Amino acid sequence: MGSKVLTKDAQRFMVDCLRAAGAASKPAQQQAELLIQADRVGHPSHGMNRLELYVNDIQTGACEPNNEPKILKETEATAWVDSCNVLGATSSHFCMDLAISKACKAGVGWVSAKGCNHNGILGFWAQKAAKAGMIGLAFTNTSPVSAPTRSKKAALGTNPLSVVAPGAQNELFYLDMATTAVAYGKIEMQRRKGEPLHPGWAQGTDGKETIDAEEAAKARCLMPLGGGELTSGYKGYGLGAMVELFCGILSGARYGHHVRVWTLTGPSGKANLGHCFAAINPNSFAPGFQDRVADIMHHWRSLEPTDPCLRVMCPGDKERKNEQEAECTGTVSYTPSQIKTSAALAKKLNVTPMQVTADCGTN
Amino acid sequence: MGSKVLTKDAQRFMVDCLRAAGAASKPAQQQAELLIQADRVGHPSHGMNRLELYVNDIQTGACEPNNEPKILKETEATAWVDSCNVLGATSSHFCMDLAISKACKAGVGWVSAKGCNHNGILGFWAQKAAKAGMIGLAFTNTSPVSAPTRSKKAALGTNPLSVVAPGAQNELFYLDMATTAVAYGKIEMQRRKGEPLHPGWAQGTDGKETIDAEEAAKARCLMPLGGGELTSGYKGYGLGAMVELFCGILSGARYGHHVRVWTLTGPSGKANLGHCFAAINPNSFAPGFQDRVADIMHHWRSLEPTDPCLRVMCPGDKERKNEQEAECTGTVSYTPSQIKTSAALAKKLNVTPMQVTADCGTN
């Protein structure tokens, strides 16, 4: 659904916009590569959709794309990094490269960074380690939109985590998840469709669980993974808190309730998010790691499904299918509203707009 | 509720039983210290309740309590360990001591072990690192009782994870959770009470979600954290799979569907579980770690609750309160059925039974 754009053209457009805003060529290209990957694997909320926010951050000075991240402290296996407000892709490449090189020698590399900006789909970073034959881990804190169990208001972000590992026979274990029940985009989608939410997704302004999408949009307060207390929502709260430990608290960045709200309406200040990256080298453990990864993934896919029409999938199967489709067609799809926003941005920044190659119906 | 027993006497009884079964003094004491801690913090399913299973494993030869774990491969920051079928406490002390000593020098220590037996409450192990001033992580795989999203049958364990971190002002961030919606014990409890389950806890024999406790007990198939697909149960499935990556798959132990079922009915074979332990040294990152831990925990507790009668808690507050009560009274409580089982075990092994000091009502 939506309009098809050549992937190369969409990526070129992203680079042009980031450069027009003030980023040098390399950081603009790395950031565009990150964003286009989100669109390719089917997570459009983290792709082109966010371009304007990054442009805005550069223009207000909240992001300084041409700085360089620096190591503040390091050991054989760890590093504490100051990302110095660069774009998320620049600092995440820097940190994950560090984690991988440490894991090559020490078996594990653990890097925590302050002074960060949003770094798109986390799976991109964990997968960077997997491409080097390792288990990759990535964590980030985000603006507070999730209520600790029993709390009337939000105090933690969606605080996602990602774990990616390579398997034999070209398998890839790819987990990239918010520690809230759903991401905020799902509330927005139900609201647009005029449909109710599912129980356990969000709280209303009174702090109680709501299935009213309008009320949930007003409250902006997601429930942690697990939903209410009876279905163990406190575990999702605990996981979000764990991510915060690794990110804001370990790195000395903003944490929890101290993280800024990310908006387009004027300068919201430097983000100073906390990120955390790790690489674990399977060569330091039992031989045959990749074979076992492939074996267990094959087993999961072979399980008898409860509903014969809904096959059991492995973490990452959906993303992989979307990526393969994007690869085949050489295109990505955008909603009419995204196309419109991008055209306006092109005009504003005086860059060549994207070319729509085909319209595939309205969204 | 139940019968009170002096903590010291309960622990003495555990040591006596394990020694009578064939364990030497040190492993018996370490295992008893682990089990009694579960009873003290309010997780009785992992305490005295499991003693008979451990005794049985020793008697059938599935567990070899007097072996010694050995390092198979190591780097500055990692170790691959063969636990050689010792009791869970023996190998977990060995592995977490290794992780801590590596993290002292290298900033992080990551240890994965095969040949393991059940190691009780995971929080005990993560907390061991926190006592040394570090963030502790612990993971274990378990017998398959959880269905990957869309699967009719179980293929993963409850695969718990634990993260514990020390805070200033005597704070302790303590997360210890199964990656399933609930532990199997909660199904059992509803069944005994003749009450229905909550949605999202378990599947029936047809693979569909059920709230019928009898049906769920028959199927023995828990749902992952998050419940069904619409409430993001696939995230819980992904987390359980992540734990399996760190445990069975990294260490070369049994994994996923290959893990044995743990029963009392005859020799079920060597468990060969996989464990994983990590310690992260905050001294290798931003100064002030413990202050930030305390600050965010104080903030969470200060949040306005949705229901004024239900205060917002931090991960670990419940366990801490239970532990303090146990400390004050010097006693732990057991159900009448546990007292009965323990008395029978005392007779069978010819050891001095526990002395009940007070009855506080039934069950």
Side-chain angles (χ1 to χ4, degrees):
Chain A
M1 301 296 270
S3 301
K4 297 240 176 237
V5 176
L6 287 176
T7 308
K8 277 186 179 169
D9 189 40
Q11 195 168 345
R12 185 274 313 157
F13 173 68
M14 291 172 175
V15 174
D16 284 355
C17 289
L18 292 163
R19 294 208 62 183
S25 173
K26 192 176 169 191
Q29 279 176 18
Q30 289 184 325
Q31 189 74 12
E33 191 194 9
L34 168 67
L35 298 181
I36 200 74
Q37 183 63 3
D39 289 327
R40 284 159 50 91
V41 300
H43 293 297
S45 59
H46 286 57
M48 181 74 79
N49 174 55
R50 287 220 172 135
L51 180 62
E52 199 174 359
L53 281 158
Y54 292 110
V55 164
N56 188 59
D57 273 359
I58 295 172
Q59 290 181 328
T60 62
C63 171
E64 299 167 287
N66 305 322
N67 284 351
E68 287 197 9
K70 55 177 183 236
I71 297 171
L72 299 173
K73 206 188 268 184
E74 69 180 320
T75 67
E76 192 83 4
T78 63
W80 176 36
V81 167
D82 183 351
S83 292
C84 296
N85 288 311
V86 295
L87 282 162
T90 308
S91 62
S92 301
H93 274 297
F94 181 85
C95 292
M96 195 43 119
D97 280 335
L98 260 176
I100 293 168
S101 85
K102 286 177 185 291
C104 278
K105 283 190 198 158
V108 60
W110 194 280
V111 177
S112 190
K114 66 172 184 172
C116 305
N117 280 297
H118 279 260
N119 63 349
I121 48 167
L122 269 189
F124 188 91
W125 305 113
Q127 190 171 353
K128 188 175 160 83
K131 283 178 183 164
M134 303 191 181
I135 303 179
L137 309 178
F139 310 88
T140 179
N141 62 9
T142 74
S143 312
V145 288
S146 170
T149 304
R150 296 185 176 182
S151 168
K152 199 167 173 178
K153 290 205 177 136
L156 280 169
T158 55
N159 290 11
L161 62 87
S162 177
V163 181
V164 180
Q169 299 161 59
N170 203 27
E171 287 288 358
L172 188 74
F173 176 96
Y174 179 103
L175 177 69
D176 181 355
M177 54 171 270
T179 53
T180 45
V182 292
Y184 188 74
K186 285 215 179 173
I187 310 291
E188 206 39 57
M189 208 180 294
Q190 295 303 94
R191 194 165 76 112
R192 277 195 212 146
K193 289 193 284 182
E195 289 179 12
L197 311 181
H198 289 279
W201 283 14
Q203 295 185 179
T205 47
D206 59 358
K208 291 183 183 152
E209 186 175 315
T210 184
I211 56 164
D212 179 339
E214 291 295 337
E215 173 67 12
K218 212 190 296 175
R220 286 192 72 89
C221 189
L222 299 168
M223 295 180 84
L225 176 62
E229 196 164 344
L230 285 170
T231 43
S232 308
Y234 49 85
K235 294 185 182 180
Y237 159 37
L239 290 167
M242 171 193 81
V243 170
E244 193 54 272
L245 265 188
F246 296 159
C247 293
I249 299 205
L250 197 57
S251 73
R254 285 178 191 268
Y255 55 90
H257 49 296
H258 300 303
V259 179
R260 71 163 187 179
V261 175
W262 200 22
T263 66
L264 268 177
T265 55
S268 44
K270 301 216 190 301
N272 191 11
L273 296 179
H275 289 166
C276 184
F277 305 87
I280 301 161
N281 190 346
N283 293 336
S284 299
F285 300 90
F289 175 81
Q290 294 208 13
D291 291 332
R292 289 188 292 278
V293 171
D295 174 57
I296 202 167
M297 289 179 74
H298 295 168
H299 180 77
W300 292 332
R301 287 197 204 97
S302 77
L303 289 164
E304 185 188 350
T306 299
D307 175 344
C309 300
L310 296 172
R311 284 173 42 210
V312 179
M313 292 192 295
C314 295
D317 280 0
K318 257 192 194 162
E319 286 83 357
R320 204 148 198 207
K321 191 171 154 279
N322 292 333
E323 190 182 9
Q324 282 164 350
E325 271 174 31
E327 194 61 40
C328 277
T329 63
T331 62
V332 281
S333 296
Y334 294 113
T335 62
S337 108
Q338 181 64 66
I339 294 290
K340 215 171 136 185
T341 312
S342 297
L345 189 63
K347 208 167 172 182
K348 191 174 144 195
L349 295 172
N350 195 27
V351 308
T352 312
M354 294 190 295
Q355 289 279 321
V356 171
T357 59
D359 275 319
C360 314
T362 54
N363 190 346
Chain B
M1 300 297 268
S3 300
K4 298 239 176 239
V5 176
L6 287 175
T7 308
K8 276 187 181 171
D9 189 39
Q11 195 167 346
R12 184 274 313 156
F13 172 69
M14 290 170 176
V15 173
D16 284 357
C17 288
L18 292 163
R19 294 208 61 182
S25 174
K26 190 175 170 192
Q29 280 176 17
Q30 288 184 327
Q31 189 73 12
E33 191 193 9
L34 167 68
L35 298 181
I36 200 74
Q37 183 63 3
D39 290 328
R40 283 159 50 92
V41 300
H43 294 297
S45 59
H46 287 55
M48 181 75 79
N49 174 56
R50 287 221 172 135
L51 180 61
E52 201 175 357
L53 281 159
Y54 292 109
V55 164
N56 189 60
D57 271 358
I58 297 172
Q59 289 181 327
T60 62
C63 170
E64 299 167 286
N66 305 322
N67 284 352
E68 287 195 10
K70 56 177 183 241
I71 298 172
L72 299 173
K73 207 188 268 184
E74 67 181 320
T75 67
E76 192 84 5
T78 62
W80 175 37
V81 167
D82 183 350
S83 292
C84 297
N85 289 312
V86 295
L87 282 162
T90 307
S91 61
S92 300
H93 274 297
F94 181 85
C95 292
M96 195 43 120
D97 281 334
L98 260 177
I100 293 168
S101 84
K102 286 175 186 292
C104 279
K105 282 190 198 159
V108 58
W110 194 281
V111 177
S112 190
K114 66 173 184 171
C116 305
N117 281 297
H118 280 260
N119 63 349
I121 47 167
L122 269 188
F124 188 91
W125 305 112
Q127 190 171 354
K128 187 175 160 86
K131 283 178 182 164
M134 303 192 181
I135 303 177
L137 309 179
F139 310 87
T140 179
N141 61 9
T142 74
S143 312
V145 288
S146 171
T149 304
R150 299 185 175 181
S151 168
K152 199 167 173 179
K153 290 207 177 135
L156 281 168
T158 55
N159 291 10
L161 62 87
S162 177
V163 181
V164 181
Q169 300 161 59
N170 203 28
E171 287 289 358
L172 189 73
F173 175 96
Y174 179 102
L175 176 69
D176 181 356
M177 54 171 270
T179 52
T180 44
V182 293
Y184 189 74
K186 286 216 179 169
I187 310 290
E188 206 40 56
M189 208 180 293
Q190 296 302 93
R191 193 166 77 112
R192 276 194 214 145
K193 289 194 285 184
E195 290 179 11
L197 311 182
H198 290 279
W201 284 14
Q203 296 185 178
T205 46
D206 59 359
K208 292 185 184 151
E209 187 175 314
T210 184
I211 57 164
D212 179 338
E214 291 295 338
E215 173 67 12
K218 213 192 293 174
R220 289 192 72 87
C221 189
L222 299 169
M223 294 179 85
L225 176 61
E229 197 164 344
L230 284 171
T231 43
S232 308
Y234 49 85
K235 295 186 183 181
Y237 159 36
L239 289 166
M242 171 193 81
V243 170
E244 193 54 271
L245 266 188
F246 297 159
C247 294
I249 298 203
L250 197 57
S251 74
R254 284 178 192 267
Y255 56 90
H257 50 294
H258 300 303
V259 180
R260 71 164 188 180
V261 175
W262 200 21
T263 66
L264 268 176
T265 55
S268 44
K270 303 215 190 300
N272 190 12
L273 296 179
H275 289 166
C276 183
F277 305 87
I280 300 162
N281 189 346
N283 293 336
S284 298
F285 300 91
F289 175 81
Q290 293 208 13
D291 291 333
R292 290 188 292 278
V293 171
D295 175 58
I296 201 167
M297 290 180 72
H298 294 169
H299 180 77
W300 292 332
R301 285 197 205 97
S302 76
L303 289 164
E304 185 189 350
T306 300
D307 175 344
C309 302
L310 295 172
R311 285 173 41 209
V312 179
M313 293 193 295
C314 294
D317 281 1
K318 255 191 194 162
E319 286 82 357
R320 203 144 199 208
K321 191 171 155 276
N322 291 333
E323 190 182 8
Q324 282 163 351
E325 271 175 29
E327 193 62 41
C328 277
T329 62
T331 63
V332 280
S333 296
Y334 293 113
T335 61
S337 109
Q338 181 63 66
I339 295 289
K340 215 170 135 188
T341 312
S342 297
L345 189 63
K347 207 166 172 185
K348 190 174 144 194
L349 296 171
N350 197 26
V351 308
T352 312
M354 294 191 296
Q355 289 279 321
V356 171
T357 60
D359 275 317
C360 316
T362 53
N363 206 358

